[in-house]
Amino acid sequence: MEGIEHSTVAVNGIAMHVAIKGPPGGPTVLLLHGFPELWYSWRHQMAGLAALGYRAVAPDLRGYGDTDAPASASAYTGLSVVGDLVALLDAVAKAEEKVFVVGHDWGASVAWHLCLFRPDRVKALVNLSVPFAPRNPARKPLEGLRAAYGEDYYICRFQDPGEMEAEFAKIGTRRVLEEFFNYRNPGPLFLPKGKAFGHPTDDPIALPSWLTEEDVDYYASKYEKTGFTGGFNYYRALDLNWELTAPWTGAQIRVPAKFVVGDLDLTYNYPGTKDFIHKGGLKKYVPFLEDVVVMEGVAHFIHEERPQEVIQHIHDFFQMF
């Protein structure tokens, strides 16, 4: 893509690929992707933010794309991933004490942790899709998910090393990506054993209007090289992350924040989530939450489905600082 600089940076014991676009002196916006995505998921925001004078910095998070992928799931807790980002900022944004941050999906979760652990490095935050999840000291995450949704729930299915890798290999990397990007059901995602996404894998899939064949080509080229294990490892580290973050039980996110979600996003439709967001729960844990935006008719991949609106939401908030 035009005007994007690619480099590899040594961070926290791994080599991290990062894409950068925008004027060197512009304020840095750190863009954090989710699953199953890459830096490329921010291609529209990188162009739009650079045109507005920002310097957009989009890494492949550990385990993804051209960034190293440590083998053990224990290397994918919030502490490790935030450690990567602090080192990345030290390398590519030396002159800035604080930067702007935008996250989506797992990237939003990572961004919340960055603000929790190192609020001194974040000027303001716009998070998409995934609200802050306060730690429940009484129950490990996987225990709660299994009780609520059962073993076929996608996060539970991702737990056993090698199992979903083998199932996805049978389906085919490109087809798996098309299935995820085409998912618009606001209900929970189930992946029953041997039944994959619930329909024959040779059924034709029409790509959503916001995704081109060339986009899928790029994603597939990277996932065919790396596989899905790096992404799965974030889910496999959920309980370990819960153990390691015990000291932050009850802690607040004390960074100016804005939250944007689509009304068809499966994350927004989890039981209790709407009440948590709109009836004071999110504000309790994120006291400097300035705005919550619910975009109508939009599903999970909000920044790709409505790129210009998301760029405007980001700019409208960040220009206040």
Side-chain angles (χ1 to χ4, degrees):
M1 292 178 64
E2 189 175 336
I4 294 181
E5 299 175 11
H6 295 268
S7 61
T8 300
V9 182
V11 302
N12 195 24
I14 65 169
M16 173 171 272
H17 165 250
V18 61
I20 299 176
K21 183 178 176 67
T28 293
V29 180
L30 179 64
L31 300 163
L32 305 175
H33 70 80
F35 175 87
E37 299 179 279
L38 300 163
W39 75 268
Y40 185 82
S41 309
W42 298 109
R43 60 198 178 282
H44 305 299
Q45 285 73 33
M46 293 184 78
L49 291 171
L52 291 166
Y54 298 97
R55 182 169 174 257
V57 173
D60 283 333
L61 295 178
R62 67 164 54 202
Y64 288 94
D66 294 318
T67 292
D68 286 349
S72 172
S74 65
Y76 291 81
T77 67
L79 292 169
S80 293
V81 182
V82 168
D84 299 344
L85 299 177
V86 170
L88 177 66
L89 293 175
D90 287 343
V92 304
K94 294 187 188 77
E96 296 172 84
E97 181 183 350
K98 297 184 177 187
V99 301
F100 294 121
V101 179
V102 182
H104 171 256
D105 186 76
W106 261 108
S109 180
V110 169
W112 291 121
H113 277 118
L114 174 60
C115 294
L116 185 65
F117 302 152
R118 294 301 303 272
D120 58 305
R121 302 302 296 266
V122 181
K123 196 180 301 182
L125 169 70
V126 174
N127 255 348
L128 313 176
S129 181
V130 175
F132 179 65
R135 183 181 182 275
N136 177 0
R139 194 177 216 184
K140 291 185 177 182
L142 287 175
E143 181 187 344
L145 291 171
R146 287 191 172 105
Y149 300 111
E151 291 293 342
D152 286 344
Y153 185 57
Y154 78 104
I155 294 175
C156 301
R157 288 296 326 280
F158 288 173
Q159 293 305 310
D160 291 335
E163 185 172 298
M164 283 308 297
E165 285 92 335
E167 287 199 31
F168 280 4
K170 288 181 182 176
I171 298 169
T173 300
R174 186 185 185 90
R175 176 69 183 216
V176 167
L177 292 165
E178 290 172 343
E179 293 276 11
F180 275 119
F181 287 129
N182 224 29
Y183 190 82
R184 294 187 69 80
N185 182 349
L189 173 61
F190 295 102
L191 298 173
K193 284 187 180 183
K195 297 181 181 178
F197 292 90
H199 48 258
T201 55
D202 55 358
D203 281 1
I205 285 187
L207 294 182
S209 60
W210 47 266
L211 193 70
T212 68
E213 294 288 349
E214 291 73 21
D215 294 333
V216 182
D217 287 344
Y218 185 85
Y219 285 116
S221 72
K222 298 301 179 182
Y223 277 93
E224 282 168 0
K225 184 184 77 169
T226 64
F228 291 93
T229 301
F232 291 159
N233 278 340
Y234 286 76
Y235 299 94
R236 291 169 182 165
L238 277 170
D239 279 356
L240 176 58
N241 197 70
W242 177 87
E243 293 173 16
L244 294 176
T245 54
W248 288 274
T249 301
Q252 293 178 317
I253 303 289
R254 303 191 66 82
V255 166
K258 178 176 182 175
F259 181 67
V260 185
V261 67
D263 66 347
L264 299 180
D265 196 325
L266 73 169
T267 62
Y268 185 58
N269 289 278
Y270 286 152
T273 297
K274 291 177 184 177
D275 281 351
F276 177 74
I277 292 171
H278 298 295
K279 295 185 177 180
L282 185 58
K283 181 75 172 178
K284 174 185 173 183
Y285 286 98
V286 189
F288 304 126
L289 179 70
E290 302 293 335
D291 196 13
V292 171
V293 177
V294 180
M295 293 173 60
E296 293 185 5
V298 187
H300 184 63
F301 298 98
I302 187 169
H303 54 321
E304 297 203 64
E305 188 172 345
R306 297 278 183 86
Q308 298 308 315
E309 288 178 55
V310 169
I311 291 165
Q312 195 61 52
H313 280 305
I314 293 168
H315 178 55
D316 286 349
F317 189 56
F318 288 166
Q319 68 179 347
M320 296 165 55
F321 300 93

